[in-house]
Amino acid sequence: MSTRRVLIFTRFERFWHWTQMLLVVSLMVTGFGLHGFHELIPFEMAVTLHTGAALLLLTIWAFATFWLFTTGEWKQYLPTITGLWKVARFYSWGIFHGEAHPYRKVYKRKHNPLQALAYLGLKVVLFPAIWSTGIVYLLYGFWQGLPRASEWLFWIATTHTAAAFMMVAFLITHLYLLTVGHGFREHVKPMLSGFDDVDLSPEEEAYLIKSEPKRIR
């Protein structure tokens, strides 16, 4: 295996990542305002901005889901137990004792086992919980006449808020992990340029040099 700089994050992935980040932060700020944590934005404006950001984010998720399945990139999020416990031990113990990260990116697997598991949980559990409850809440005017509608609305709102706080917890953890190891700058650079250090087999290296030379440095 040889280590080369390889384009592993496409232009769409980078656009998806940063746009999603901006919209999620917007939802957090407006959501906290709606719950009375701050008064930076008038309530009516916060509702409008929150709804608009949510609809934009939902649209991006729809395009991203289509992209994942048409390109085969969904396979990057399939969890595996191979190396999972080593990575988990590193983040819970080794990272505080100067140990080297036990996982190195390979051409067909850019996420370590713990990342893949966490991102899969986001995509199949947390994200659907947020947008499904948000849509049902937004459409309350169409079903408010149903029996026990107000009671259902309470639980829908509670689930939406709980999922949102779980998202906040994920973002805090994500930002923290960006500061360890190689440092914040080195962790962020691949999501700006698309290139990262990847271990390549001789066959993969030969293929990239011959067929996709722009993807390898």
Side-chain angles (χ1 to χ4, degrees), residues 4-21:
R4 297 290 299 271
R5 298 283 291 178
V6 179
L7 181 69
I8 60 171
F9 296 113
T10 65
R11 188 174 299 174
F12 176 76
E13 282 181 285
R14 285 174 276 152
F15 166 79
W16 170 26
H17 177 273
W18 294 112
T19 305
Q20 181 175 248
M21 181 205 71

Side-chain angles (χ1 to χ4, degrees), residues 59-192:
T59 301
I60 291 174
W61 282 344
F63 276 106
T65 301
F66 175 78
W67 178 84
L68 285 170
F69 282 98
T70 54
T71 60
E73 285 294 307
W74 62 272
K75 297 175 183 178
Q76 296 282 352
Y77 301 95
L78 291 178
T80 174
I81 61 172
T82 304
L84 177 63
W85 303 116
K86 288 183 179 180
V87 174
R89 179 192 175 278
F90 170 76
Y91 283 123
S92 61
W93 173 266
I95 201 171
F96 303 108
H97 294 80
E99 295 182 9
H101 200 297
Y103 182 81
R104 292 184 62 83
K105 289 184 176 68
V106 294
Y107 183 55
K108 296 183 179 179
R109 193 78 179 180
K110 56 192 174 188
H111 300 306
N112 69 53
L114 197 59
Q115 281 180 313
L117 186 62
Y119 293 150
L120 181 66
L122 282 176
K123 296 181 188 304
V124 303
V125 178
L126 191 56
F127 285 170
I130 291 175
W131 61 252
S132 61
T133 53
I135 290 174
V136 174
Y137 193 105
L138 188 63
L139 299 177
Y140 177 65
F142 292 96
W143 56 275
Q144 60 182 338
L146 295 176
R148 302 172 66 184
S150 59
E151 183 178 338
W152 280 107
L153 182 64
F154 169 79
W155 289 111
I156 289 168
T158 300
T159 302
H160 186 75
T161 303
F165 273 106
M166 290 176 66
M167 187 66 197
V168 172
F170 169 81
L171 288 176
I172 292 173
T173 303
H174 186 60
L175 288 172
Y176 166 70
L177 292 177
L178 288 177
T179 66
V180 301
H182 296 298
F184 185 82
R185 182 179 177 183
E186 291 303 313
H187 283 305
V188 172
K189 280 174 62 178
M191 196 49 72
L192 293 173

Side-chain angles (χ1 to χ4, degrees), residues 3-65:
T3 303
R4 297 290 299 271
R5 298 283 291 178
V6 179
L7 181 69
I8 60 171
F9 296 113
T10 65
R11 188 174 299 174
F12 176 76
E13 282 181 285
R14 285 174 276 152
F15 166 79
W16 170 26
H17 177 273
W18 294 112
T19 305
Q20 181 175 248
M21 181 205 71
L22 290 173
L23 290 173
V24 168
V25 171
S26 298
L27 288 166
M28 288 169 51
V29 173
T30 53
F32 282 135
L34 293 174
H35 282 273
F37 287 98
H38 65 76
E39 297 181 356
L40 300 175
I41 307 171
F43 185 84
E44 292 78 7
M45 182 180 293
V47 171
T48 301
L49 293 175
H50 193 80
T51 303
L55 293 176
L56 283 174
L57 185 57
L58 187 57
T59 301
I60 291 174
W61 282 344
F63 276 106
T65 301

